[in-house]
Amino acid sequence: MRVAASADIDAVVRTLTTAFFHDPLWGPAFPDVERRAVQAAAVWRLYATSALRHHWLLVSENAEAAAVWIPPGREELAPEEAGNLANLLWQAAGPEVAEAILTVSDQFAAVRPRQPHFYLTLLGVHDHHRGKGLGMALLSESLARIDVLCAPAYLESSNPANLQRYESVGFTALHQIAIATGHVVTTMWRPAADRGPGTGGLAP
């Protein structure tokens, strides 16, 4: 595992685009299957590029797997990027898609814990490299780094198939978010590593 650099962004975007193409939330969010890859890639590029400034965009050797982490006290997008998000979505996929995605984003923000935490916004493995354990290896190494800092971690699981995987590394379910399509997203929290008296994890 290593910290991604700007030269990795194209590879990271390819990985995220294939990883979320059939995701039960983010696939239907871009309903035009013929244009989905291009539309979604524009969004993943924005978030991945913005995350570079935090130095917590972590990837496998050739970015076959990527994890976008936002450190405590930071935001996914810089203010200017956040202000332009609606316009980017509108241009990439049209007003209906833009409105739906912004609504989901607002739902996520409404239940995100206020306590400082590392926020896993995206974790994906390129289709050509699935089944090799790269995603879980990247997640485990990410959490090992976070444990050294004695910080909690938080995520939204858009795919129910991944819940047991997250539970296996210490996450527990917090809330369920019902999306307009009927899909349910589960938020999950992992306490800070206990490094001795007075260093226990923060409760959400």
Side-chain angles (χ1 to χ4, degrees):
M1 185 184 73
R2 60 185 177 84
V3 177
S6 57
D8 296 304
I9 288 297
D10 286 346
V12 169
V13 171
R14 287 193 295 270
T15 288
L16 295 176
T17 301
T18 65
F20 288 99
F21 192 89
H22 296 293
D23 182 80
L25 173 65
W26 296 116
F30 300 94
D32 186 341
V33 177
E34 296 298 320
R35 301 178 61 205
R36 178 181 295 170
V38 173
Q39 293 172 345
V43 179
W44 306 145
R45 182 174 297 277
L46 171 65
Y47 280 91
T49 302
S50 183
L52 286 174
R53 72 190 194 279
H54 301 310
H55 305 290
W56 273 90
L57 170 50
L58 305 178
V59 295
S60 57
E61 182 178 2
N62 295 306
E64 308 95 333
V68 181
W69 289 95
I70 308 302
R74 307 287 185 85
E75 296 297 333
E76 289 183 86
L77 300 176
E80 182 178 351
E81 294 167 332
N84 290 333
L85 178 59
N87 186 52
L88 180 146
L89 288 167
W90 184 294
Q91 291 182 349
E96 292 184 3
V97 170
E99 182 178 357
I101 291 178
L102 291 172
T103 297
V104 171
S105 179
D106 288 342
Q107 288 181 274
F108 285 1
V111 300
R112 184 177 167 189
R114 295 180 180 274
Q115 288 77 8
H117 57 269
F118 276 88
Y119 180 23
L120 180 60
T121 62
L122 295 165
L123 172 65
V125 178
H126 195 288
D127 273 353
H128 294 168
H129 298 277
R130 291 195 179 199
K132 301 178 181 179
L134 289 175
M136 287 304 297
L138 183 60
L139 177 59
S140 295
E141 290 192 40
S142 299
L143 293 172
R145 289 192 179 196
I146 292 171
D147 284 346
V148 171
L149 302 174
C150 295
Y154 175 78
L155 60 82
E156 298 113 358
S157 178
S158 58
N159 190 339
N162 291 329
L163 294 179
Q164 288 188 338
R165 295 186 179 98
Y166 292 131
E167 289 170 352
S168 73
V169 291
F171 285 92
T172 57
L174 276 183
H175 303 287
Q176 290 190 324
I177 303 171
I179 307 304
T181 59
H183 181 65
V184 174
V185 173
T186 300
T187 69
M188 307 189 79
W189 179 266
R190 183 178 185 269
D194 187 356
R195 294 295 180 183
T199 60
L202 296 174

